[in-house]
Amino acid sequence: MSQPWQQQPQQPGNPYGQQPAAPGGFPPPAPAPRQGNVGLAIVAAVVAALVSAGIYAGILYATFDEEKMEVTQIGYVAIGVGALIGLALGKLGGRGVGLQVLGAVLGVIAVVLGELYGYALIMAEYAPGAPAATEIFFQHFGDLYDGWKEELDGISYLFFALAAAAGFSVTKRLSD
């Protein structure tokens, strides 16, 4: 007749078939934090910034009131611009304060480019004899920039801050 302890194969140094403990008797260390691809994250964030700047410009153009000769700016769009950039950086880049700062900087740059190209779209449509929007943007950028600077007000700076905050915070949340 066989004994119950003899039915299980025994491992050397482990007579009861238990799992061996980690060295020193402590639980195994936590897995290493996720490492991202910083280069890919930066490229994706720049692409996201350019795409979101184009969307921002299109929304500015769509909200232009011809009678009042003014645009209606929407704060959620600036937040969306920063969030899209932060999404690319946070998901692909891993951890790092540098990526969070880059998310904020690219958010501001995207909103500025979106406003500038939005104004170029409006000028091309409503200014008599104006060239195409791309020509205004690329060949007359200095004049476009000077006119845009004159139109800046407090709400524009608030939108820059919203885009920067969204880019920073979304990058931080998704990288943790």
Side-chain angles (χ1 to χ4, degrees):
M1 173 160 206
S2 74
Q3 300 296 328
W5 61 83
Q6 292 176 342
Q7 293 174 354
Q8 298 177 0
Q10 294 182 1
Q11 298 175 356
N14 192 3
Y16 303 108
Q18 298 174 345
Q19 292 292 339
F26 295 104
R34 177 179 63 87
Q35 298 294 319
N37 186 339
V38 175
L40 179 63
I42 291 171
V43 169
V46 168
V47 169
L50 293 173
V51 168
S52 61
I55 293 169
Y56 192 88
I59 291 172
L60 281 180
Y61 174 74
T63 61
F64 179 70
D65 185 357
E66 188 177 359
E67 292 176 10
K68 296 180 183 177
M69 295 302 285
E70 63 183 32
V71 295
T72 303
Q73 294 180 325
I74 304 167
Y76 291 116
V77 179
I79 293 170
V81 167
L84 184 64
I85 293 164
L87 177 72
L89 288 171
K91 283 291 188 185
L92 298 174
R95 292 184 172 203
V97 175
L99 291 176
Q100 297 165 13
V101 171
L102 181 63
V105 170
L106 284 176
V108 172
I109 290 171
V111 169
V112 168
L113 287 176
E115 285 195 10
L116 286 168
Y117 195 69
Y119 280 103
L121 287 169
I122 292 166
M123 288 174 59
E125 178 73 24
Y126 295 104
T134 53
E135 185 177 337
I136 293 171
F137 188 79
F138 289 110
Q139 295 179 3
H140 303 284
F141 187 81
D143 296 331
L144 177 65
Y145 182 75
D146 291 339
W148 172 77
K149 276 193 331 185
E150 290 177 16
E151 294 292 319
L152 282 179
D153 55 1
I155 197 80
S156 295
Y157 292 108
L158 174 65
F159 288 166
F160 301 154
L162 289 173
F168 186 92
S169 63
V170 170
T171 303
K172 182 175 180 175
R173 280 199 186 266
L174 293 179
S175 66
D176 288 341

